C-alpha cells in the first residue's frame, strides 16, 4: 500500500538535505510533491531528478507575499493541500557576545516566522477541506540548548510551542500538527564541520553514529500518513538516543 497515495504535499526547503530526501520518500509513497525553496538551482535540479510527481515553486518562507503566492498556486493547480512540511531552516551560529541583531533576526525570520506564515496560509486551505497534516522541523537543541546557537535554539523552542498551540486550535478541523526533532544528521548544513568534531559528536550518541536524511524522511512519511491519524501535538525525536 502506498502510504501517501493522492496526497498533495508542500515541502519547504526541499531543494536539498533532509527536505530533498523527504520529497523523494513522499513520491515513492505515492504523493505529489511541491518543493518550495529559495534557490532556483537546487529546486529545479531536484525536480529534474525526482520526476513528474514533483514540481518547484520558488519561495522565500520568511516573506508573506511569497508564501501566499505558493499556497494559491498549489491550490489552483492541485485543488487541495494535504501535507505541509515546514522544513526550511538556516544556521547563523555565534556566541552571545558576538551575535549581532541581524544574525538573530534572520534566523528567527526564516526558522520561526517562516513556519508561522506557511502554516497560517496552508491551514486556511486545510480548514476549508476539513483535513490536513502539518509537520515542523525542530531539533534536539530546541529542548536542550546548544553553545553558540541563541537564535537557532530560540526559533526551534518557539516552533515546538507553536506546534502545541496549533494542535489545539486546528484539531477540530481534523488537522494534525506535529514536530520532528532530529539529532545529528549528515547534510550540507553540517558538512562544514571539522572531522574531529564530527567524530566527537558521533561518540555522544548511544548508537555511535550520525543519522542520515532518510531517517528523518521516514518519520515524516509515517506522520504525514493516515497510519498516524491519532498522533497530534507531539514532538518526536530522531536522534539515535542522544538526548537520553
Ligand atoms: P540544509 O541542507 O541547509 O537545507 C535547508 C534548505 O532550506 C535549503 O534548501 C535552503 O535553500 C532552504 N531555505 C533556506 N532559507 C529559505 C527560505 N527563506 N525560504 C525557503 N527555503 C529556504 O538543511 P538540513 O540539514 O536538510 O535541515 C533541514 C531542517 O532540519 C532545518 O529546519 C534544520 O534546522 C533541521 N535540522 C537539521 C539537523 C541536521 O543535523 N542536519 C538537525 C536538527 C534539525 P538554499 O539552498 O537557498 O540555502
Amino acid at each position: 500500500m502506498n502510504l501517501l497515495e493522492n496526497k498533495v504535499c508542500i515541502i519547504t526547503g526541499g531543494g536539498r538535505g533532509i527536505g530533498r530526501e523527504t520529497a523523494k520518500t513522499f513520491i515513492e509513497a505515492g504523493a505529489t510533491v511541491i518543493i518550495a525553496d529559495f534557490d532556483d538551482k537546487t529546486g529545479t535540479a531536484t525536480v529534474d531528478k525526482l520526476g513528474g510527481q514533483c514540481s518547484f515553486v520558488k519561495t522565500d518562507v520568511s516573506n508573506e507575499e511569497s508564501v501566499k503566492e505558493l499556497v494559491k498556486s498549489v491550490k489552483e493547480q492541485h485543488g487541495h493541500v494535504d501535507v505541509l512540511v515546514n522544513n526550511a531552516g538556516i544556521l547563523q551560529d555565534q556566541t552571545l557576545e558576538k551575535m549581532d541583531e541581524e544574525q538573530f533576526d534572520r534566523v528567527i525570520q526564516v526558522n520561526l516566522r517562516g513556519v508561522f506564515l506557511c502554516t497560517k496560509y496552508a491551514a486556511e486551505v486545510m480548514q476549508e477541506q476539513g483535513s490536513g497534516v502539518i509537520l515542523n522541523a525542530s531539533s534536539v537543541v530546541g529542548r536542550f540548548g546548544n553553545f553558540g546557537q541563541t537564535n537557532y535554539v530560540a526559533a526551534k523552542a518557539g516552533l515546538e510551542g507553536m506546534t502545541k498551540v496549533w494542535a489545539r486550535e486546528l484539531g477540530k478541523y481534523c488537522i494534525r500538527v506535529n514536530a520532528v526533532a532530529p539529532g545529528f544528521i549528515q547534510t550540507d548544513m553540517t558538512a562544514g564541520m571539522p572531522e574531529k568534531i564530527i567524530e566527537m559528536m558521533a561518540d555522544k550518541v548511544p548508537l555511535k553514529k550520525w543519522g542520515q536524511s532518510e531517517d528523518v524522511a521516514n518519520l515524516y512519511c509515517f506522520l504525514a500518513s493516515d497510519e498516524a491519524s491519532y498522533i497530534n501535538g507531539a514532538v518526536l525525536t530522531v536522534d539515535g538516543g542522544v538526548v537520553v
Side-chain angles (χ1 to χ4, degrees), residues 16 18 37 39 59-61 87 138 152 156 183 185 187 189:
R16 61 191 168 93
I18 295 169
D37 202 297
D39 191 322
T59 310
D60 177 358
V61 296
N87 163 78
S138 187
Y152 186 80
K156 295 304 187 187
I185 308 295
T187 65
M189 194 179 251

Side-chain angles (χ1 to χ4, degrees), residues 12-19 36-39 42 59-62 86-90 106 110-111 137-140 152 156 182-190 210 220:
T12 70
R16 61 191 168 93
I18 295 169
D37 202 297
F38 200 45
D39 191 322
T42 53
T59 310
D60 177 358
V61 296
S62 66
N86 281 311
N87 163 78
I90 59 168
R106 186 61 196 146
V110 175
N111 296 12
S138 187
S139 165
V140 289
Y152 186 80
K156 295 304 187 187
F184 310 144
I185 308 295
Q186 273 176 324
T187 65
D188 291 347
M189 194 179 251
T190 55
W210 281 61
Y220 280 138

Side-chain angles (χ1 to χ4, degrees), residues 224-241:
S225 79
D226 296 342
E227 298 288 296
S229 61
Y230 204 57
I231 302 180
N232 188 32
V235 182
L236 291 140
T237 48
V238 196
D239 65 355

Side-chain angles (χ1 to χ4, degrees), residues 88-219:
I90 59 168
L91 286 174
Q92 288 198 11
D93 293 359
Q94 199 52 267
T95 54
L96 176 62
E97 59 174 8
K98 289 190 187 146
M99 185 176 290
D100 61 30
E101 206 180 354
E102 208 176 301
Q103 285 168 322
F104 183 82
D105 287 347
R106 186 61 196 146
V107 170
I108 296 293
Q109 270 170 13
V110 175
N111 296 12
L112 191 66
R113 186 174 195 267
V115 174
F116 161 70
L117 290 173
C118 292
T119 302
K120 180 175 166 64
Y121 290 103
E124 275 181 13
V125 179
M126 291 174 178
Q127 281 182 45
E128 280 166 24
Q129 51 192 47
S131 66
V133 175
I134 292 159
L135 299 171
N136 296 327
S138 187
S139 165
V140 289
V141 304
R143 261 179 280 173
F144 298 94
N146 200 18
F147 193 91
Q149 293 196 314
T150 299
N151 46 7
Y152 186 80
V153 169
K156 295 304 187 187
L159 171 154
E160 291 192 13
M162 297 198 301
T163 299
K164 290 165 194 165
V165 172
W166 298 333
R168 288 179 186 277
E169 288 188 2
L170 302 176
K172 61 175 179 278
Y173 304 103
C174 292
I175 300 170
R176 295 186 292 107
V177 189
N178 293 294
V180 165
F184 310 144
I185 308 295
Q186 273 176 324
T187 65
D188 291 347
M189 194 179 251
T190 55
M193 291 175 152
E195 194 59 36
K196 215 173 147 199
I197 304 279
I198 290 183
E199 280 170 25
M200 208 179 75
M201 287 166 77
D203 200 49
K204 286 187 197 274
V205 183
L207 289 179
K208 298 293 170 204
K209 59 178 182 180
W210 281 61
Q212 301 302 315
S213 293
E214 53 262 41
D215 296 319
V216 184
N218 288 337
L219 180 58

